[in-house]
Amino acid sequence: MSAQTARVQSKHVSTKVPVNTEKEQLSQRVQSSIARRAYQLYEESGGKHGDDFIHWLQAESELLTRVDGIQESASWFTINVPLKGFNCNDVQIAVEPTHAIIAAESQQQPPTGNPPGASTSSESQRAVFMYVKWPSEVDPITASAYLQNETLNLTAKRASPVAENDRTRSATSND
């Protein structure tokens, strides 16, 4: 699959960010984060077995934000979401026909004033994961995004009805 890029702008510099690259790695990172949190919840509950599904759902609800407020025009869907404290290098986007996943991850530096030679292991990773469910299928190839004034704008074109019908016919002819 070919990678696409989207123009991403910050307050100071315009930069390109990959869109639809490393979809599997992005999905795995989201799943790993949810799994780590679910395990923490398991440990916090005293290691009680049988609540794994409940822990998973709670972790997912804590870490994966559903994006509402999808704006529609004649053939495009657009979302605008705040990403305060992230820059374009921190953001990855995977767009699928039915949904999109947005991951923003950055290393936060420890507060200034640490003694000279202090370990940088006190850096903490900050991550935000978002899930967008499109109202109808989109064409992932048309996806574009930019980050400006700490707000991510993601746009994707509605899939053409002909393409959807062709996919349905192709799927049924293979059965």
Side-chain angles (χ1 to χ4, degrees):
M1 167 174 245
S2 67
Q4 299 124 34
T5 57
R7 181 161 288 294
V8 176
Q9 300 174 349
S10 70
K11 291 179 183 176
H12 302 54
V13 179
S14 296
T15 316
K16 291 185 177 185
V17 160
V19 175
N20 290 335
T21 60
E22 302 177 10
K23 286 183 182 182
E24 287 302 313
Q25 291 94 337
L26 179 58
S27 181
Q28 287 174 353
R29 280 201 330 268
V30 171
Q31 295 296 316
S32 293
S33 294
I34 292 169
R36 279 191 305 275
R37 179 62 183 140
Y39 187 74
Q40 288 174 341
L41 292 167
Y42 162 76
E43 288 181 328
E44 290 170 7
S45 72
K48 180 183 167 204
H49 292 282
D51 290 337
D52 53 330
F53 188 64
I54 293 168
H55 293 145
W56 183 270
L57 291 177
Q58 182 178 343
E60 191 175 71
S61 71
E62 290 176 10
L63 298 177
L64 191 60
T65 303
R66 293 201 182 270
V67 175
D68 294 324
I70 299 172
Q71 301 162 9
E72 295 184 49
S73 68
S75 58
W76 293 87
F77 295 120
T78 302
I79 62 161
N80 294 295
V81 292
L83 287 178
K84 296 198 183 310
F86 293 100
N87 66 50
C88 57
N89 296 325
D90 299 331
V91 180
Q92 282 191 298
I93 303 167
V95 177
E96 298 287 346
T98 58
H99 65 276
I101 297 174
I102 302 165
E105 299 176 280
S106 71
Q107 294 287 333
Q108 293 180 318
Q109 297 296 326
T112 57
N114 284 348
S119 169
T120 58
S121 64
S122 62
E123 292 179 356
S124 64
Q125 182 153 0
R126 189 169 66 104
V128 173
F129 300 108
M130 293 179 229
Y131 178 84
V132 179
K133 178 156 178 43
W134 302 117
S136 64
E137 285 196 9
V138 301
D139 183 355
I141 294 171
T142 66
S144 64
Y146 63 90
L147 185 65
Q148 186 172 22
N149 298 327
E150 297 186 322
T151 298
L152 175 74
N153 175 287
L154 172 63
T155 303
K157 188 172 186 179
R158 187 185 317 258
S160 72
V162 173
E164 289 177 24
N165 290 338
D166 288 346
R167 264 186 264 134
T168 304
R169 243 181 275 133
S170 173
T172 55
S173 67
N174 292 335
D175 292 340

